[in-house]
Amino acid sequence: MMKYSKATNYALHTMVFLTNTPKGKSMNVETLADMQKLSPTYLSKILTKLVKAGLVESNPGVNGGYRISKRPQEVSFLDVIYAIEGQTSLFSCSSDHEDSFHNEGCLIEQVMVDAENNMKEELSKKFIIDIAHEIDKKMK
């Protein structure tokens, strides 16, 4: 089983909360952190990555906060994962092992890369808005 960081978990939840925020409204970091029982400082670091990735925008000021910067139906799980984890591969053969496979490349790595590509394809088809709608339905 592949494991993502807790930051990715919190980022996905934050994106759902922001998606369910009424259009034109922002949520402050304290409220978002409270909803997830996190420190605002920790969540601020996650939000900074989401802002840098262009998924969220920050609005300064007394009534400021965070809101989705893209159309919610365009934000996939993979977009959020990339914003937090980066786009590097989860697996790579060590150079010590490559020689033992007769210079054909690491066959184990190819299996892992194929699996990772399948996972990326699935995650790119899953959108935050779909989960946000499901949660919204359950809350009503």
Side-chain angles (χ1 to χ4, degrees), residues 29 46 74:
V29 70
I46 293 168
E74 295 176 355

Side-chain angles (χ1 to χ4, degrees), residues 2-116:
M2 291 182 226
K3 185 173 181 171
Y4 290 107
S5 68
K6 286 183 180 182
T8 295
N9 180 358
Y10 297 133
L12 289 165
H13 282 84
T14 298
M15 292 299 290
V16 169
F17 294 139
L18 291 175
T19 298
N20 280 339
T21 302
K23 189 173 178 149
K25 299 283 183 183
S26 297
M27 288 188 79
N28 65 41
V29 70
E30 289 81 10
T31 302
L32 287 165
D34 241 17
M35 294 168 85
Q36 299 181 72
K37 298 178 180 34
L38 296 174
S39 86
T41 304
Y42 180 60
L43 187 57
S44 289
K45 292 175 185 176
I46 293 168
L47 284 161
T48 297
K49 288 183 178 186
L50 294 172
V51 168
K52 283 182 183 177
L55 301 176
V56 169
E57 64 185 21
S58 171
N59 301 306
V62 175
N63 295 321
Y66 294 89
R67 65 178 171 213
I68 301 268
S69 61
K70 294 176 84 171
R71 292 180 35 208
Q73 57 270 32
E74 295 176 355
V75 180
S76 73
F77 273 60
L78 188 60
D79 294 329
V80 178
I81 291 166
Y82 277 167
I84 304 301
E85 304 284 344
Q87 295 188 26
T88 59
S89 183
L90 296 172
F91 181 89
S92 65
C93 276
S94 68
S95 58
D96 296 342
H97 291 120
E98 288 179 14
D99 292 339
S100 63
F101 289 105
H102 310 292
N103 294 325
E104 295 176 18
C106 181
L107 299 176
I108 293 169
E109 182 175 24
Q110 190 55 55
V111 169
M112 299 301 286
V113 166
D114 290 346
E116 187 175 338

